Amino acid sequence: MADETPFPWPPAADRIAIEHVWPEVDCGATPVKRIIGDTVEVFADIFCDGHDVIAAALLYRKADEEGWRHAPMRPRDNDRWSGSFTVTETGRYVFTIEAWRDPFASWLKEVKVKQAAGRDLTLETIEGVEIARAAVGLAQGPEAVDLSQLLTAVQAAHADQHLAMLLDPANAELIGRWGERLDLTRFAGERTVVVERPKARFSAWYELFPRSAANDGQRHGTFDDVIARLPYVRDLGFDVLYFPPIHPIGTTNRKGRNNSLTAAPDDVGSVYAIGSPEGGHDAVHPQLGTIADFRRLVAAARDHGLEIALDFAIQCSPDHPWIKQHPEWFDWRPDGSLKHAENPPKKYEDIVNVDFYGHGQISLWQALRDVVLFWVEQGVTIFRVDNPHTKPLPFWRWFIAEVNGRHPDVIFLSEAFTRPKMMRALAKVGFQQSYTYFTWRNTKAELTTYMRELTSGDMAECYRPNFFVNTPDINPYYLQSSGRPGFVVRATLAATLSSSWGLYSGFELCEAAPLPGREEYLDSEKYELRARDWDAPGNIRDHIRKLNLARRDNRALQDFRNILVLNAWNDQVLAYARITPARDNAVMVLANLDPHNRQECDYEVPLWEFGLPDDAAIDAEDLIFGGRFTLHGKVHRIALDPAHNPVVVWRLVPPAEARP
Amino acid sequence: MADETPFPWPPAADRIAIEHVWPEVDCGATPVKRIIGDTVEVFADIFCDGHDVIAAALLYRKADEEGWRHAPMRPRDNDRWSGSFTVTETGRYVFTIEAWRDPFASWLKEVKVKQAAGRDLTLETIEGVEIARAAVGLAQGPEAVDLSQLLTAVQAAHADQHLAMLLDPANAELIGRWGERLDLTRFAGERTVVVERPKARFSAWYELFPRSAANDGQRHGTFDDVIARLPYVRDLGFDVLYFPPIHPIGTTNRKGRNNSLTAAPDDVGSVYAIGSPEGGHDAVHPQLGTIADFRRLVAAARDHGLEIALDFAIQCSPDHPWIKQHPEWFDWRPDGSLKHAENPPKKYEDIVNVDFYGHGQISLWQALRDVVLFWVEQGVTIFRVDNPHTKPLPFWRWFIAEVNGRHPDVIFLSEAFTRPKMMRALAKVGFQQSYTYFTWRNTKAELTTYMRELTSGDMAECYRPNFFVNTPDINPYYLQSSGRPGFVVRATLAATLSSSWGLYSGFELCEAAPLPGREEYLDSEKYELRARDWDAPGNIRDHIRKLNLARRDNRALQDFRNILVLNAWNDQVLAYARITPARDNAVMVLANLDPHNRQECDYEVPLWEFGLPDDAAIDAEDLIFGGRFTLHGKVHRIALDPAHNPVVVWRLVPPAEARP
C-alpha cells in the first residue's frame, strides 16, 4: 500500500484556484517591463467550488519594501478577474494575488433571492447575525467601534428587526468591509515588474559619426564640430543623439574605403576597430578631442534637450592595450595568434573578440562593466550595444543588473539582428530597447504581422522595439529604388508604428546609393569621412520635424502596444490608428506603401472605438499638412499620391460627448 | 553603491537558453496526461550566443527511478527543438532538458567551410587534435580504447595526415560521440507526465439503472437481472457499463415521479438520495441484492469484456447513517437542521451535503476515500463522480492521489457541467475523464470551435473528454425534435469526434419525450422503474454496434487530439478526418447536421495528408454500409439524406506507396 498522501495544510489554504496570471513571462522567471506612470493591469482566472461569493485582491509592493499594498480585483467575464496598480518609481515591483470566500456577501446574495421568493428567513437572520459578530472581532480603527455599536443595537432590538438592520445598505457595507475572509488563498508565486524611465519606451534617435561633423571629407571632425550640429538635430525633433564608437582606432589590418582590406595611408579606419596605443574603450580618439571636450558636448547636448548615446562594442583592434595588459582575457590559438571576429556573413579582419569564459573571466566582466560606468561618469545615460547576440546571455544579465543597480536610468539598446528568439532573449535579460526587423518589413502583410508579433504575448511585456529606418550597416533595398516618397513613408511608419524610432544621418537627404547589389551604402561612412549638403533639394527634414512634433504632442504615439490596424481596401495602403487606453488621444495614419504609383481606396475611420455609430462625425487635425476637417460616417475614400501625399497623419478628435 | 550582483556560478551553467518547454500545464505545476504506449514528444526553444554548434538531450525517468535516461533532441525550425520518449508503465514520469556546446561539431563545420574555400588549415588541425585529446579523457567502455588508439595513431602520423584522419567519417563520429559537452545547461525545472491505462482515454460507456433491469415497471430489478442484460450491452460494442447509485435510498423528503415533492407509498425515490437505516455509501439497496450478488455481476461483466463503473455521489439522504454517527461531518444550522443541497437551478430537497472543512475534516475525507476503496475491493475500477465542482479542488487532488497511489488503474470521470475553467481545473487535479458541453454543441461552427478548444493548448494535455449523447439529466433539445436521423448523427459525432463516448439507455430506441419545455425526460427513470421494448422499430442498435466496431478496429478513433476538419461547402455538413500520427490509419466522417432535410455539397478528401497529389486516387471502406470503392481526386460531391444516410463513416486506404 502506498504512503498516505498528506492532507493539504493549512486546511483550505489552496481552496480557491488562482490561475493564468497575466502579465508574466517565463512563468515569472523574467520580469515584465513598464515605465514610470504606467498602470499595471493584472489578470487571473479565479474561482472556487460551489456557489459562494468570492473576492480577490492584488497585492503589490516595491521589491525592497516590507509590506504589501492592496488593490481590489473584480470579476470580468468567465471567471477572469482583473485589478491594477500604478508604478511611480524606477526599480522593481512585485505582485501577487489573494482570494477568499466572503461569507457575508454569500449570505446577502442568498437572502435577497429568498426574500424575493417570499421564503421564511428566520434561520438565515440568525446566521447573518453570527457573521456580523465575527466581523466585530476583526474590525480595526474607528469602524471597530461603529461595528460593535451596530451589533449591540441588533442584539437589543427585537428579532423581527434584525434582518432589516443587517440589510440596511450602510450597515451591510460596514459588515462586508470587515467580514471574515474564509479560505484565504495566495497565488503560489510572485511576479516582477521592472519600472524604467519613460525614455526606455519613448525616444527618437539621430545617429551621426562625430568624425564627419566637420562636414568636410578632408578634415577630421571634433566634439566641438558636433556641438555646432546640435541645433540642427534638435530642430528635427530628436531627443537622443547617438554616436558610433569614439575611441582610438587600431592600425593593424585597418580597413580602407568601402571595407577594402588594405587601407591607404590617410584612411581613417573603421570606428569599430577599437583600441590603439593611444587607449581603448575608456579613451577618445585624439582627433575628436579630449574627455573634457566630450563632457562639454554632453552638457551642450543636454541644454538642447538631447541625451548622448554611445556605442558599446565589446571587441578590440589588434592594437588594443588590453591584448598586452590582459592576455588572459583572450583565447589564443596554438601559434600565439587571435582569431578575427565574424558575424556571418560579415567578416571583421580588423578586430578580435574577448573570451568571456577564460580564466580571466571575473576581471574581464568587471572591466567591461567599469568601461560603461566610466562613461556614465562622463554624463552618458544611454548605450547602443553592438552585436550583443555574439556575447553570452548570462554576461548581459549580470552586466545590466550591475549598471542599473547603480544607475537605474541607464538605457541599453540591443543591436542584435539575428534569429527572433535570441533577440527576445536579450530583451528578457534586461535590454531596455531592441532593434527590430522593421527595415525588412515592407508590405502591408509583413508590417501587420510584425506589429501583431511585437504587441502581443511575451513580446509586448518585455521587448521594446526601436524602429530604425536605416543604419550605417543597412541601406534598405526598398529605399534604394523608392526615391523621396519611400523615405517619407518609411519615416512615417517608423515614427508612428513604434514609440521609439531612429535614423542614421543622410536619411533625411534621401541618400540611398548602394554598393551594387548590396544592402550597404556606397562610400560608407564606416570607413571614411563624409561631407553632405544638408539643405539639398528634396530633403525631408520638414516632414521628420512634423513627425517628431506629432509624437511629442500625442500620447497615443508614446506607447507601441496600442496599435489598431484598420480596414483599407487596397493592399498597398496600410491604415492604422493609435489610441490611448483612456481613449483621450488618437492618431490615425494612412500610408501608401507603393512609392511609385498613386493608390486609391476606401478605408474605415474607427468611430466604434469612441462609442460612436457608423454615421457619426469626427474631427481630424492634419498633423503634416495642417488644417482641421470633419469626417462624416465610417467609410471614406482617399487617394495617396507619392508626389504629394504618400501618407496622411491625423489626430482624431471625437465630439466631446462621445468620449468614454 | 548597490551591492555587487553575484557572478553566475558555476560559470556558463546557464549559457544556453532553454525556453518554452512543451508539453507543460501551469508552468509544470500540473502534470500532463498520457496513456501506456504513448510517445511523448517534447519541444523547447534552445539557442546560444555566437555561432557554435549546440546539441541537446531529453532526460526522462519514472518519478521513482534514480538515474536519467537520455534521448536525443534535434533542431526543427527557428531554434525549436524536439525529442521523444515512450511511456510503458502507469505512474508518473518526469523529464527535463540538457543542452551544451559541441566543440568538435563546431570545428567540423568551420573546417569544412574553410576547406571548401581552399584556406590553410594548419592551425585548425592542431586545434582539432586538441579537441580529440579531450574526448579520449572522457570516453568510456570499448570505445575508450578505440579513441585512445586513434589519438596515438594521429600523433604517430606526419602532421600532413592529421586533418584527413580527423575528418575520416568513422573517426569523426567516434570523436563526436565522446567529445566535451561545454557549458552544459540544464533546464531549470522538471515536468511531470501521468501515465494511465488506455481506457482512461479510449472507452465506450453504456449507462443503465439496475433497478429497471427487470424491464418491468412493477418489479424492482436485481443484479441478476443486470447479468441477464450483459449480452445486450456487449453486443452493442460497449466496454464500460455504468450504474447510477446502487445504495439504499432515504425516505425523508423522498421524491415522487417526475421529481414531485411528495412521493406515493410505492415510489422508489431518487437513487441520489443515498442512505437509509439499511446503510449508506458502502451498502447496496436490498432490493438489488447483496454485495455477493454484486461481486457476481462484476465478474460476469468482466467475462463479457465489460467493466462496471459506479457513481460516486458525495451526499446523504436525511436518513443516512453518517448523520447520526458523525454529526461532526455536517454543517448544522442554528435550529439543528441541515440545509438541503442545491446546484442552481436544480434543487435537491431529499439530500444534504457534508462539510469538507468542519472539525471532522480528516475523518470525513478518509471515510470518503475508504468508500471508494471498498468498491475497488469489490472489483470496481471506474467511478463516475457526481457534481465534483461543488466539492473542494484540494479534496479531489488528495482523494485521487490516495486512490491512484494504491490502485493506479482506477479511473474517475468528472460529471461537472459548470463553467469551463472549473471543468478544466477538475481535470488538472487528476480526473482521468471529463464530461463536456457536447450535448449543447450542435451546429458546425459550435462543434468545430469546441473541438479546437478540446484539442489545443492545456486542454489537450490534461482534459480527456467523454462525449455523452444523453444522460438521465439531459434530454437534449436537438433530439426532442430530430427523430431517428438526429440520434444517428449525434451517436456518430460522439463516437468519432471523441475517443470516449457514452449513452444512457433508451437512446438507442430514440427516446426523447420531454418534460414539456424542459431538457428533462418525461417520466424520468431517476424517480421510477422503467420498462422498454428493446426491439422497437426504428431503433439504432445496429448503427451503434457498427460505430463501436469501427472504433475498436481503427486506432485513429482511439485518441481525441487528431482531428482534422475538412472543407465541405455546406454549413449543415460537418466533414472531418481522424488520422494517426504515423498516417497508418485514417477514418473520414461526413455528417448532415440537419435531421430534417437532404443536404448536398462538395467536400475534400485529405489526399495531402498522405503526400498524395490532388488528382490521386484513394480507397475508402464504408464502415457503416459496407463495401469498398475508390475516390479519384480531392474534391467530390455527396448528398446526405436523413432517411437513408445522414452520415457516412469511411476508412481511407491510401495506395501502399503513398504512406510516409
Side-chain angles (χ1 to χ4, degrees):
Chain A
M1 185 174 279
D3 289 348
E4 302 246 327
T5 315
F7 276 85
W9 193 259
D14 58 349
R15 182 166 180 186
I16 302 173
I18 305 176
E19 301 181 333
H20 291 150
V21 171
W22 190 259
E24 71 167 26
V25 177
D26 294 335
C27 301
T30 295
V32 303
K33 291 180 183 160
R34 293 293 185 274
I35 61 166
I36 289 176
D38 273 353
T39 295
V40 181
E41 287 271 354
V42 175
F43 299 83
D45 295 342
I46 304 178
F47 53 93
C48 184
D49 62 277
H51 309 287
D52 282 350
V53 177
I54 59 173
L58 175 59
L59 278 57
Y60 66 99
R61 57 180 169 87
K62 285 289 302 275
D64 52 8
E65 287 175 349
E66 283 287 318
W68 291 106
R69 287 176 265 176
H70 291 72
M73 295 188 76
R74 308 278 180 220
R76 303 298 173 189
D77 183 43
N78 194 12
D79 292 325
R80 193 86 177 143
W81 294 56
S82 74
S84 66
F85 62 101
T86 300
V87 290
T88 54
E89 298 172 51
T90 54
R92 290 182 173 233
Y93 286 70
V94 291
F95 68 83
T96 189
I97 292 170
E98 275 184 359
W100 58 91
R101 290 194 307 132
D102 181 338
F104 189 69
S106 300
W107 178 87
L108 272 180
K109 185 175 118 179
E110 185 180 355
V111 161
K112 284 177 181 171
V113 168
K114 290 184 173 170
Q115 202 174 35
R119 303 260 287 270
D120 176 74
L121 293 168
T122 309
L123 281 179
E124 284 75 9
T125 303
I126 298 170
E127 289 165 339
V129 173
E130 282 311 304
I131 294 170
R133 193 194 311 279
V136 171
L138 294 164
Q140 295 177 351
E143 292 197 339
V145 179
D146 301 344
L147 200 51
S148 180
Q149 288 172 347
L150 170 61
L151 199 77
T152 307
V154 169
Q155 288 168 324
H158 189 276
D160 284 358
Q161 301 303 310
H162 290 180
L163 187 61
M165 293 175 83
L166 293 176
L167 293 179
D168 171 87
N171 292 346
E173 205 173 300
L174 182 64
I175 300 167
R177 208 149 46 232
W178 293 102
E180 272 196 291
R181 300 185 165 194
L182 294 178
D183 304 338
L184 187 73
T185 301
R186 172 84 63 93
F187 173 64
E190 294 175 8
R191 296 292 177 259
T192 304
V193 182
V194 167
V195 179
E196 293 163 325
R197 62 179 172 128
K199 197 161 272 177
R201 188 162 71 206
F202 173 57
S203 58
W205 294 48
Y206 187 87
E207 174 175 5
L208 64 77
F209 282 79
R211 69 184 182 186
S212 287
N215 209 31
D216 176 343
Q218 304 309 311
R219 184 170 76 75
H220 197 285
T222 67
F223 290 136
D224 279 320
D225 292 324
V226 179
I227 290 175
R229 295 288 299 158
L230 294 175
Y232 173 91
V233 178
R234 181 55 183 168
D235 174 64
L236 290 175
F238 291 97
D239 50 23
V240 178
L241 176 58
Y242 151 51
F243 304 148
I246 56 171
H247 313 298
I249 296 170
T251 50
T252 303
N253 295 334
R254 173 172 283 194
K255 294 291 184 81
R257 291 167 183 252
N258 286 312
N259 202 20
S260 63
L261 288 173
T262 49
D266 60 341
D267 278 347
V268 289
S270 162
V271 294
Y272 289 95
I274 295 170
S276 78
E278 289 151 319
H281 284 75
D282 55 1
V284 294
H285 193 289
Q287 289 182 277
L288 289 171
T290 65
I291 290 285
D293 296 333
F294 179 75
R295 293 176 70 109
R296 273 197 299 112
L297 165 56
V298 171
R302 186 153 295 149
D303 290 344
H304 283 81
L306 286 162
E307 283 186 63
I308 299 297
L310 285 191
D311 207 316
F312 184 51
I314 304 180
Q315 62 223 11
C316 299
S317 95
D319 310 315
H320 196 292
W322 282 352
I323 293 175
K324 285 198 177 117
Q325 292 165 7
H326 293 286
E328 72 278 13
W329 292 353
F330 298 88
D331 186 18
W332 297 90
R333 308 194 73 188
D335 66 344
S337 70
L338 289 169
K339 196 175 272 194
H340 66 69
E342 295 184 45
N343 184 19
K346 295 193 168 99
K347 287 183 187 173
Y348 306 105
E349 291 85 353
D350 52 347
I351 56 179
V352 300
N353 279 321
V354 298
D355 179 7
F356 281 89
Y357 290 107
H359 68 278
Q361 179 194 350
I362 293 181
S363 59
L364 169 67
W365 290 27
Q366 287 174 335
L368 293 170
R369 173 199 66 193
D370 291 345
V371 161
V372 162
L373 293 178
F374 170 81
W375 291 109
V376 174
E377 288 299 307
Q378 313 316 316
V380 178
T381 46
I382 304 181
F383 296 86
R384 174 268 202 193
V385 176
D386 189 65
N387 279 341
H389 58 290
T390 60
K391 288 89 190 173
L393 292 166
F395 168 74
W396 293 121
R397 185 180 289 115
W398 174 87
F399 170 89
I400 294 172
E402 281 283 287
V403 176
N404 282 154
R406 294 162 170 83
H407 304 288
D409 281 350
V410 171
I411 292 169
F412 294 98
L413 164 64
S414 160
E415 187 255 5
F417 294 110
T418 183
R419 294 178 297 183
K421 287 163 187 172
M422 174 55 90
M423 290 176 68
R424 186 179 61 195
L426 289 161
K428 288 184 185 180
V429 299
F431 280 91
Q432 280 81 2
Q433 293 189 2
S434 304
Y435 279 68
T436 70
Y437 301 136
F438 173 69
T439 43
W440 303 284
R441 297 294 179 270
N442 296 304
T443 68
K444 183 171 175 172
E446 285 169 354
L447 288 161
T448 306
T449 306
Y450 193 47
M451 287 312 297
R452 192 182 308 127
E453 179 183 329
L454 290 174
T455 59
S456 57
D458 287 5
M459 289 295 273
E461 301 304 329
C462 70
Y463 192 96
R464 298 200 193 98
N466 190 329
F467 278 9
F468 265 73
V469 287
N470 69 329
T471 77
D473 288 319
I474 307 171
N475 177 7
Y477 289 123
Y478 178 90
L479 295 177
Q480 293 179 19
S481 62
S482 72
R484 186 181 187 279
F487 286 77
V488 169
V489 168
R490 296 295 295 179
T492 306
L493 294 174
T496 62
L497 281 172
S498 176
S499 48
S500 286
W501 79 298
L503 61 77
Y504 154 56
S505 58
F507 181 92
E508 67 267 46
L509 307 180
C510 307
E511 281 183 0
L515 272 187
R518 301 279 302 283
E519 218 171 27
E520 294 266 351
Y521 286 101
L522 183 66
D523 301 331
S524 169
E525 211 169 350
K526 288 191 286 184
Y527 311 105
E528 61 189 89
L529 306 181
R530 284 288 300 278
R532 296 179 173 93
D533 174 5
W534 297 103
D535 299 310
N539 75 68
I540 63 164
R541 285 164 52 186
D542 188 58
H543 186 76
I544 290 170
R545 185 183 302 117
K546 285 170 174 164
L547 289 174
N548 278 328
L549 195 62
R551 289 164 47 85
R552 202 165 305 173
D553 290 346
N554 291 280
R555 281 179 304 101
L557 298 178
Q558 297 174 13
D559 198 341
F560 64 94
R561 297 166 301 175
N562 58 348
I563 189 168
L564 177 69
V565 175
L566 300 173
N567 280 325
W569 286 273
N570 179 331
D571 282 350
Q572 294 289 354
V573 176
L574 178 63
Y576 52 93
R578 326 265 340 191
I579 310 179
T580 57
R583 298 286 178 274
D584 54 3
N585 179 245
V587 173
M588 174 167 176
V589 177
L590 291 152
N592 175 3
L593 305 177
D594 174 358
H596 304 298
N597 301 291
R598 185 174 178 276
Q599 296 286 346
E600 193 175 334
C601 68
D602 286 345
Y603 66 93
E604 287 185 346
V605 180
L607 296 173
W608 63 89
E609 290 290 325
F610 309 97
L612 294 171
D614 288 358
D615 60 353
I618 193 167
D619 278 7
E621 288 176 31
D622 192 315
L623 300 176
I624 302 296
F625 298 102
R628 178 166 175 150
F629 51 94
T630 303
L631 292 158
H632 294 272
K634 186 171 76 169
V635 178
H636 293 261
R637 192 158 186 85
I638 197 166
L640 296 168
D641 186 326
H644 305 298
N645 63 339
V647 300
V648 298
V649 182
W650 301 331
R651 179 181 7 233
L652 296 179
V653 186
E657 69 276 12
R659 300 206 190 133
Chain B
M1 184 175 279
D3 288 347
E4 302 245 328
T5 316
F7 276 84
W9 193 259
D14 58 349
R15 182 166 181 185
I16 301 173
I18 304 175
E19 302 181 333
H20 291 149
V21 170
W22 190 258
E24 70 167 26
V25 177
D26 295 334
C27 301
T30 295
V32 303
K33 292 179 183 161
R34 293 292 185 274
I35 61 166
I36 288 176
D38 273 352
T39 295
V40 181
E41 286 270 354
V42 175
F43 299 83
D45 295 342
I46 304 178
F47 52 94
C48 185
D49 62 278
H51 309 286
D52 282 350
V53 176
I54 59 174
L58 175 60
L59 278 58
Y60 65 100
R61 57 180 170 84
K62 283 291 300 274
D64 53 7
E65 287 175 349
E66 284 286 319
W68 292 106
R69 286 175 264 176
H70 292 72
M73 295 188 76
R74 307 280 182 218
R76 302 299 172 189
D77 183 41
N78 193 12
D79 291 325
R80 193 86 177 143
W81 293 56
S82 75
S84 66
F85 63 101
T86 300
V87 291
T88 55
E89 298 171 49
T90 54
R92 290 182 173 234
Y93 286 70
V94 291
F95 68 83
T96 190
I97 292 170
E98 275 183 357
W100 59 91
R101 291 193 305 132
D102 181 337
F104 189 69
S106 300
W107 178 88
L108 271 181
K109 186 175 116 180
E110 184 181 353
V111 161
K112 283 177 180 169
V113 168
K114 290 184 173 171
Q115 202 173 36
R119 303 260 286 270
D120 175 74
L121 293 168
T122 309
L123 282 178
E124 283 74 9
T125 302
I126 297 170
E127 288 163 342
V129 173
E130 282 310 304
I131 294 170
R133 193 194 311 280
V136 171
L138 294 164
Q140 294 177 350
E143 291 198 336
V145 179
D146 300 342
L147 199 51
S148 178
Q149 287 171 346
L150 169 60
L151 199 76
T152 306
V154 168
Q155 287 167 323
H158 189 274
D160 285 357
Q161 302 304 310
H162 291 180
L163 185 62
M165 294 174 83
L166 293 176
L167 292 181
D168 171 87
N171 292 346
E173 206 173 301
L174 182 64
I175 301 167
R177 207 149 48 233
W178 293 102
E180 272 195 290
R181 300 185 165 193
L182 293 179
D183 304 340
L184 187 73
T185 301
R186 172 83 63 93
F187 174 65
E190 293 175 7
R191 297 293 177 257
T192 304
V193 182
V194 167
V195 179
E196 293 163 326
R197 63 181 172 125
K199 198 162 270 178
R201 188 162 72 205
F202 173 58
S203 58
W205 293 48
Y206 187 87
E207 174 175 5
L208 65 77
F209 282 78
R211 69 184 182 186
S212 287
N215 211 30
D216 175 342
Q218 305 308 313
R219 183 170 76 76
H220 198 286
T222 66
F223 291 137
D224 280 322
D225 292 324
V226 179
I227 290 173
R229 294 288 299 158
L230 294 175
Y232 173 91
V233 178
R234 182 55 185 168
D235 173 64
L236 290 174
F238 292 96
D239 50 25
V240 178
L241 176 57
Y242 151 51
F243 304 148
I246 56 172
H247 313 298
I249 295 170
T251 50
T252 303
N253 295 335
R254 174 173 283 195
K255 296 292 184 82
R257 291 169 184 250
N258 286 313
N259 201 21
S260 64
L261 288 173
T262 49
D266 59 342
D267 278 346
V268 289
S270 163
V271 293
Y272 289 95
I274 295 169
S276 79
E278 290 151 320
H281 284 74
D282 54 1
V284 294
H285 194 288
Q287 288 183 276
L288 288 171
T290 64
I291 291 286
D293 296 334
F294 179 75
R295 293 176 69 111
R296 272 197 299 112
L297 165 55
V298 170
R302 187 151 296 148
D303 290 343
H304 283 81
L306 285 162
E307 284 185 63
I308 299 296
L310 284 191
D311 208 315
F312 184 51
I314 304 179
Q315 63 223 8
C316 299
S317 95
D319 311 315
H320 196 291
W322 281 350
I323 293 175
K324 285 197 179 117
Q325 293 165 4
H326 294 284
E328 71 278 13
W329 292 352
F330 298 87
D331 185 18
W332 298 89
R333 307 194 72 188
D335 67 344
S337 70
L338 289 169
K339 195 175 274 195
H340 66 69
E342 296 184 43
N343 184 19
K346 295 193 168 96
K347 288 182 188 174
Y348 306 105
E349 292 85 352
D350 53 346
I351 58 179
V352 300
N353 278 322
V354 298
D355 179 8
F356 281 89
Y357 289 107
H359 69 277
Q361 179 195 351
I362 292 181
S363 60
L364 170 66
W365 290 28
Q366 287 174 335
L368 293 170
R369 174 199 65 193
D370 291 344
V371 162
V372 163
L373 293 178
F374 170 81
W375 290 109
V376 174
E377 288 299 308
Q378 312 316 316
V380 179
T381 45
I382 304 180
F383 297 86
R384 175 268 201 194
V385 176
D386 189 65
N387 279 342
H389 58 292
T390 60
K391 288 88 189 172
L393 292 166
F395 168 74
W396 292 121
R397 186 181 289 116
W398 174 87
F399 169 88
I400 294 172
E402 281 283 288
V403 176
N404 282 154
R406 294 163 170 82
H407 305 288
D409 281 349
V410 172
I411 291 168
F412 294 99
L413 165 64
S414 162
E415 188 255 8
F417 294 110
T418 184
R419 294 177 298 184
K421 287 163 189 174
M422 175 55 90
M423 290 175 68
R424 185 180 61 194
L426 289 160
K428 288 184 185 180
V429 300
F431 281 90
Q432 281 80 3
Q433 292 189 4
S434 303
Y435 279 68
T436 69
Y437 302 136
F438 172 70
T439 42
W440 302 285
R441 297 293 179 272
N442 296 305
T443 68
K444 183 172 177 172
E446 286 169 354
L447 288 161
T448 305
T449 305
Y450 193 48
M451 287 311 296
R452 192 182 309 128
E453 179 183 330
L454 291 174
T455 59
S456 57
D458 286 6
M459 290 294 274
E461 301 305 330
C462 68
Y463 192 96
R464 298 201 193 97
N466 189 330
F467 278 9
F468 265 74
V469 288
N470 69 329
T471 78
D473 290 318
I474 307 171
N475 177 7
Y477 289 122
Y478 177 92
L479 295 177
Q480 293 179 19
S481 62
S482 73
R484 186 182 188 280
F487 285 78
V488 170
V489 168
R490 295 295 295 178
T492 306
L493 293 175
T496 62
L497 282 172
S498 177
S499 48
S500 285
W501 79 298
L503 61 79
Y504 153 57
S505 58
F507 180 94
E508 68 268 46
L509 306 180
C510 307
E511 281 184 1
L515 274 186
R518 300 279 303 283
E519 218 171 25
E520 294 265 352
Y521 286 102
L522 184 67
D523 302 331
S524 169
E525 211 169 350
K526 288 190 288 184
Y527 312 104
E528 62 188 88
L529 306 180
R530 285 288 301 276
R532 297 179 173 90
D533 175 5
W534 298 103
D535 300 309
N539 75 68
I540 63 163
R541 285 163 53 187
D542 187 57
H543 186 76
I544 290 169
R545 186 184 301 116
K546 285 171 175 164
L547 288 173
N548 279 329
L549 195 61
R551 289 164 47 84
R552 201 166 305 174
D553 290 346
N554 291 280
R555 281 179 305 101
L557 297 177
Q558 297 173 12
D559 199 341
F560 64 94
R561 298 167 301 174
N562 57 348
I563 188 168
L564 177 69
V565 176
L566 300 173
N567 280 325
W569 286 273
N570 180 331
D571 282 351
Q572 295 288 356
V573 176
L574 179 63
Y576 52 93
R578 324 260 348 185
I579 310 179
T580 56
R583 298 287 178 273
D584 54 2
N585 180 246
V587 173
M588 175 168 175
V589 177
L590 289 151
N592 175 3
L593 304 177
D594 174 358
H596 305 296
N597 300 290
R598 184 174 179 277
Q599 295 286 345
E600 193 174 336
C601 68
D602 286 345
Y603 67 94
E604 287 185 348
V605 180
L607 296 173
W608 63 89
E609 291 290 324
F610 308 98
L612 293 171
D614 288 359
D615 61 354
I618 193 167
D619 278 8
E621 287 177 33
D622 192 315
L623 300 176
I624 303 296
F625 298 100
R628 178 167 177 149
F629 51 95
T630 302
L631 292 158
H632 294 271
K634 186 169 76 169
V635 179
H636 292 261
R637 192 158 187 86
I638 197 166
L640 296 168
D641 188 327
H644 305 296
N645 61 341
V647 299
V648 298
V649 182
W650 301 331
R651 178 180 10 232
L652 296 179
V653 187
E657 70 277 12
R659 302 212 187 129

